[in-house]
Amino acid sequence: MYARKLELTDFRNYENLEIEFHPKVNIIIGDNAQGKTNLLEAVYITSVGKSFRTSRDIEMIRFGCGFCRVLLCAEKQDQETEIDIVIRKEGKSIRVGEKQLRKLSEMFENVLTVVFSPEDLKIVKEDPEKRRRFINREISQLRPAYFSRLAEYNRILKQRNAYLKERDINEDVLDVWDESLAKNGAYIMKSRGEFIEKLEKISRRINEDITSGKEFLSISYEPDIELVSEDAQEEVFAKTLKINRQKDLERRTTTKGPHKDDMKITVNDTDIRHYGSQGQQRTAALSLKLAEIGLIKEEMGEDAILLLDDVLSELDPKRQSYLINSLKDVQLFITTAEMSPEVAESLPEGKTFLVTSGKVEEKSNSDIAYT
């Protein structure tokens, strides 16, 4: 699949924009703070309904305006899909084709994207919350039901935590919330375990290729609650909540559950979350992102659109080369302030766009001074 055309109205620093993309490579070049990442953000929200940069939708509305609009036309299996998103201060509306969506989860599977930014290079060494966000984002694209169950789990968790801070606690109320937490939490754990197992197989192979067989990557699920058979998981979760209730009452928060999960990442049996070199951590992060694309292809039968947000400058020439050579079959968006002639020449055919203060011009390669 590929994004064919994007239209923006009062989105970030774009007042009005209509742009036709190339089905293979789209290089978006320009100085910092000109609007390059805004284009990738616009494509991304048509995939999952949310930004990869902010949790506040209103930040995407151009300053002084009442709303913004993003319209994307995408080609999927020789059929065109149109995604139309309007964001207002009161909320947002989403239309796919002629259908007005009621739930965010209905968006998934229409446009498949993988975003790779300098922040993703830190996924290995930073806190577990970043790895959980990575897991949640990717499973939601593959399984829209997961997104709904995760949202329900987080809603109940928020209510339970707020209640635990009150002065008078009725434990019968906690029993009701715990039943729902256990039900949704068990589903989340099962989904994460299956996803990480599949991701591990693909990313391990990629990591070996990048390092010429010198490093062996291993990824495993680290659930906060004991992982058991599918039939017994809900019961084990419920018992764990019961056992830890006194601790929860004392600390006034829910101390156990998938909101505390992590993903263990080792290279040659060394936990590189804490002890790996920067090179090992970046290679592992690159392997994970490329594995996402492979897993989407395997599960959905479609190539995802890859959004590379100023990430090439963060990689050494060897990793740059591997990344580019791995992406012959996917539509690629690359934002950058500069690009070496070697990288530019190694890319498949495509288009180059120059972004200046929210204005986009298509340029030929002879017009761009690669460095």
Side-chain angles (χ1 to χ4, degrees), residues 188-203:
I188 291 167
M189 292 175 65
K190 173 180 176 290
S191 299
R192 287 178 177 176
E194 292 174 349
F195 170 76
I196 292 172
E197 183 178 350
K198 292 177 181 178
L199 190 74
E200 201 263 352
K201 293 178 181 177
I202 302 174
S203 59

Side-chain angles (χ1 to χ4, degrees), residues 43-77:
V43 174
Y44 183 80
I45 66 168
T46 65
S47 174
V48 299
K50 292 183 175 182
S51 168
F52 63 86
R53 303 163 72 192
T54 178
S55 59
R56 302 180 71 241
D57 287 344
I58 60 171
E59 291 182 10
M60 291 181 277
I61 301 175
R62 195 164 70 93
F63 182 75
C65 298
F67 75 98
C68 70
R69 185 186 184 200
V70 178
L71 177 68
L72 183 79
C73 297
E75 296 285 339
K76 182 179 179 182
Q77 296 177 347

